[in-house]
């Protein structure tokens, strides 16, 4: 669209024609020849209509001349072609010489010296540059553009500091990489859906809160108290590490929360305004501290009236009732409750006569009544776990679903759960203008912060008030990342889900490691089996040959249990992983697994300490991470991968 609009630019003197480019993230003002960012603040860049080029000194890329000088070159070229007069010399604005030898040979000479006080002029001495007219046969990487259809919108919140990766790039540049990887993953794994025009692309927009926090004047205050020694290190700490302490301060925590929420709401409204036909969902993703900020915001969102506290209790209590009926071998009566449209409030008001009228026999009625009475006694016996106010009493009142969290029920082995809002900084948590579909956390310290705040266990029945999905994705060597699932199921030890490689296989060194582990387990089991047979033959008492076989068997039966060693076969890693995938980790992610670990690269496995920092900053260019995000987003729309990846859930 930009190339078609540029030739008409001289005719548009009254109005400045604006052309959206780069997927609608930039606007090009043709009259001003400027490219302006739409969703974030960025320095305005120049736009040129490119017709004449020259090769740069440091590389083989063609650099366009300015439009004014290109017009002079074009005019001289047309005169030379018309009159067949070549060897023409032109002087560029920087006093460099361009000679048109013939239509196929045009050279740009860089002067060896500039003019001095004696009036000497530039000569043709110096390294010549190749001059080219038009864009034919130029090996330039001109992107084909992005699909116009946007299926889903994802807001990405950064962590501490202004730099987000090992190359000290900002959140805008890192999200650009994440978006580029997503486009390549769509072409590689969703080709059928693209060919059938079922999908377009996913838009990722960055959310920056660091600049707003440090524009409050706190940097000036810190500068006055900072020691002059090791200046660079202290400046780095003030600009990055202290963001964690700022967020745990009630004063600056409010600034961070307001900035993140207002920026996401602003971006959402602006996006809807520029894309009025958009019908997709919205998800959010956070890296490092950014994931904790989003988690605190989501836990303090107010659900809609139809999905409020009563609706959450209905689903939770009815689900637990049906589960209890199954445990009591009364699953055949589940349909009766559904047919009568029994909600928890009506169920607790029922008497024995009501259950009898529903057609339930006496025995099952007694079991159901006993279950209801035990639930009532449990609620009365532990009132502090149900009504305890949360320290984060900002937008939601104590006792609401967003504040009660795991304290919403007293079921559990320990008889008590802890409020997920426990220990949160006292602030007014703003509300979002939309309900996120999925929450993705990259390299997240959420689990650590919940533990430090005093949360011992998360209620398996707890879910985020307005968000259905939650994925905690981390690199195995990430020093900042912590797990979530052990807070929900603390009594079991199990591994996180291993993210499959985007090429559909496990990395070679991991396959080799797993194969060696399986081989050692099999070898150990075989060795123990041989030792058991040898031990039995050694401890067997000598018996006469004429003794009956029955006596021999009895002797073995008596001696065997006492003296044979315990040789229980060990479980192979594959079997353990299959069982881990079936573990119930509650409703925080709709009953699905929450923790997902990336596969480390072969070079990273040599020394995990050397790649710890890289492990925390690797997510922006990780194909495996991007593919999981795309897979889960499109799965909500009923669209799956062309070929299921092995090991995926």
């Amino acid at each position: 669209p930009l190339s078609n609009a540029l030739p008409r630019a001289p005719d548009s003197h009254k109005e400045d024609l604006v052309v959206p480019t780069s997927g609608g993230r930039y606007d090009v003002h043709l009259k001003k020849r400027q490219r302006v960012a739409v969703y974030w603040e960025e320095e305005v860049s120049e736009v040129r209509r490119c017709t004449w080029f020259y090769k740069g000194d440091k590389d083989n890329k063609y650099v366009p001349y300015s439009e004014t000088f290109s017009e002079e070159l074009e005019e001289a070229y047309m005169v030379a072609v018309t009159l067949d007069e070549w060897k023409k010399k032109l002087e560029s604005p920087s006093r460099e010489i361009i000679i048109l030898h013939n239509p196929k040979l045009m050279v740009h000479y860089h002067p060896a010296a500039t003019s001095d006080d004696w009036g000497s002029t530039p000569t043709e001495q110096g390294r010549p540059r190749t001059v080219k007219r038009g864009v034919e046969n130029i090996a330039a990487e001109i992107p084909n553009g992005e699909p116009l259809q946007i299926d889903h919108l994802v807001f990405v919140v950064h962590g501490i500091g202004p730099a987000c990766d090992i190359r000290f790039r900002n959140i805008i540049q890192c999200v650009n990489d994440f978006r580029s990887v997503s486009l390549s993953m769509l072409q590689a794994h969703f080709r059928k859906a693209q060919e059938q025009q079922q999908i377009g692309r996913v838009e990722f927009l960055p959310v920056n809160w660091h600049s707003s926090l440090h524009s409050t004047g706190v940097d000036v205050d810190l500068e006055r108290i900072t020691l002059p020694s090791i200046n660079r290190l202290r400046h780095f700490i003030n600009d990055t590490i202290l963001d964690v302490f700022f967020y745990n301060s009630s004063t600056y925590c409010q600034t961070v929360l307001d900035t993140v929420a207002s920026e996401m709401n602003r971006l959402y409204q602006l996006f809807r305004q520029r894309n009025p036909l958009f019908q997709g969902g919205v998800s959010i993703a956070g890296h490092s501290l950014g994931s904790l900020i989003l988690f605190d915001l989501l836990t303090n969102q107010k659900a809609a009236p139809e999905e409020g506290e009563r609706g959450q209790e209905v689903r939770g209590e009815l689900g637990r009732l049906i589960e209890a009926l199954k445990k009591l071998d009364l699953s055949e009566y589940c349909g009766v409750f559904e047919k009568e449209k029994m909600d928890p409030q009506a169920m607790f008001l029922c008497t024995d006569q009501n259950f009898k009228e529903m057609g339930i026999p006496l025995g099952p009625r007694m079991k159901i009544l006993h279950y209801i009475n035990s639930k009532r006694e449990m609620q009365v016996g532990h009132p502090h776990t149900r009504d305890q106010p949360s320290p984060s009493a900002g937008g939601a009142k104590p006792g609401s679903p967003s504040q009660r969290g795991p304290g919403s029920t007293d079921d559990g082995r320990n008889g008590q759960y802890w409020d997920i809002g426990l220990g949160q900084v006292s602030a007014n948590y703003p509300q979002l203008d939309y309900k996120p579909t999925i929450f993705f956390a990259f390299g997240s310290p959420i689990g650590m912060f919940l533990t430090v705040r005093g949360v011992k266990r998360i209620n398996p029945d707890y879910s985020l008030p307005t968000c259905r999905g939650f994925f905690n994705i981390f690199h195995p060597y990430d020093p900042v990342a912590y797990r979530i699932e052990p807070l929900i199921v603390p009594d079991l030890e199990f591994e996180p889900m291993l993210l499959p490689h985007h090429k559909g296989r496990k990395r070679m060194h991991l396959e080799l490691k797993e194969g060696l582990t399986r081989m050692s387990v099999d070898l150990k089991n075989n060795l123990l089996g041989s030792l058991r047979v040898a031990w039995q033959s050694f401890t067997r008492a000598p018996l006469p040959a004429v003794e009956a076989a029955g006596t021999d068997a009895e002797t073995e039966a008596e001696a065997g249990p006492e003296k044979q060693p315990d040789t229980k076969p060990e479980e192979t890693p594959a079997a353990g992983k299959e069982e881990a995938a079936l573990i119930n980790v509650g409703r925080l992610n709709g009953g699905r697994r929450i923790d997902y670990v990336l596969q480390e690269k072969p070079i990273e496995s040599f020394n995990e300490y050397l790649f710890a920092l890289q492990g925390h900053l690797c997510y922006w260019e990780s194909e495996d991470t991007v593919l999981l995000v795309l897979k889960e987003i499109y799965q909500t729309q009923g669209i799956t991968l062309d070929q299921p990846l092995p090991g995926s859930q």
Side-chain angles (χ1 to χ4, degrees), residues 124-325:
E124 297 176 12
Q125 302 299 324
R127 185 178 180 182
R129 300 172 176 173
T130 303
V131 178
K132 191 176 188 317
R133 178 178 180 266
V135 296
E136 293 80 8
N137 300 324
I138 292 183
E141 296 182 0
I142 302 177
N144 296 325
E146 303 173 5
L148 297 178
Q149 176 185 341
I150 299 178
D151 306 316
H152 205 86
L153 176 63
V154 180
F155 296 122
V156 184
V157 181
H158 66 85
I160 62 174
C164 298
D165 69 349
I166 200 72
R167 288 175 281 178
F168 294 95
R169 298 184 301 169
N170 58 30
I171 181 63
I172 298 173
Q173 296 170 311
C174 291
V175 172
N176 287 342
D177 274 355
F178 200 87
R179 188 187 304 109
S180 299
V181 175
S182 72
L183 293 175
S184 63
M185 289 295 101
L186 285 175
Q187 295 177 358
H189 295 276
F190 293 88
R191 184 176 296 275
K192 293 181 181 178
Q194 283 187 333
E195 292 176 352
Q196 299 173 1
Q197 296 184 349
Q198 295 180 343
I199 64 173
R201 64 183 176 91
V202 177
E203 181 61 279
F204 298 89
L205 295 180
V207 178
N208 187 353
W209 55 267
H210 180 269
S211 57
S212 298
L213 171 64
H214 288 263
S215 63
T216 58
V218 66
D219 288 348
V220 179
D221 298 335
L222 285 174
E223 188 67 25
R224 288 198 297 264
I225 62 175
T226 302
L227 300 180
S229 59
I230 52 174
N231 183 49
R232 291 185 179 180
L233 178 59
R234 295 186 189 277
H235 177 74
F236 173 79
I237 293 175
N238 290 348
D239 206 31
T240 56
I241 306 299
L242 290 189
D243 286 350
V244 179
F245 298 94
F246 284 138
Y247 184 67
N248 284 278
S249 164
S250 58
T251 301
Y252 296 104
C253 175
Q254 189 67 61
T255 301
V256 174
L257 293 172
D258 291 342
T259 301
V260 172
S262 62
E263 183 68 6
M264 289 197 297
N265 288 337
R266 182 190 69 84
L267 292 174
Y268 176 72
Q269 297 300 336
L270 180 58
F271 179 84
R272 292 300 302 266
Q273 179 183 351
R274 294 176 61 89
N275 301 272
L277 300 180
F278 176 73
Q279 299 294 330
V282 182
S283 295
I284 55 179
H287 175 242
S288 189
L289 183 63
S291 63
L292 177 66
I293 298 171
L294 293 177
F295 184 79
D296 289 343
L297 278 174
L298 291 177
T299 56
N300 288 277
Q301 294 298 296
K302 297 179 181 178
E306 65 273 11
E307 298 179 3
E309 179 178 357
R310 182 174 177 275
Q312 187 174 5
E313 288 185 354
V314 168
R315 292 190 299 270
E317 293 288 349
L318 187 57
R320 284 191 293 273
L321 174 61
I322 293 176
E323 184 179 353
L325 291 176

Side-chain angles (χ1 to χ4, degrees), residues 377-395:
E377 293 175 359
M378 190 176 297
Q379 292 175 3
V380 175
H382 300 279
H384 59 283
T385 59
R386 187 174 185 87
D387 300 325
Q388 179 183 4
S390 171
S392 55

Side-chain angles (χ1 to χ4, degrees), residues 7 36 69 106 134 147 165 193 196 236 250 270 285 305 318 330 350 364 417 423 436 456 498 508 541 584 621 637 646:
V36 182
F69 187 65
M106 293 168 281
D165 69 349
Q196 299 173 1
F236 173 79
S250 58
L270 180 58
L318 187 57
L330 301 177
C350 287
Y417 293 109
K456 300 294 184 182
L498 183 67
M508 185 178 299
N584 181 14
E621 299 177 356
Q637 304 177 15

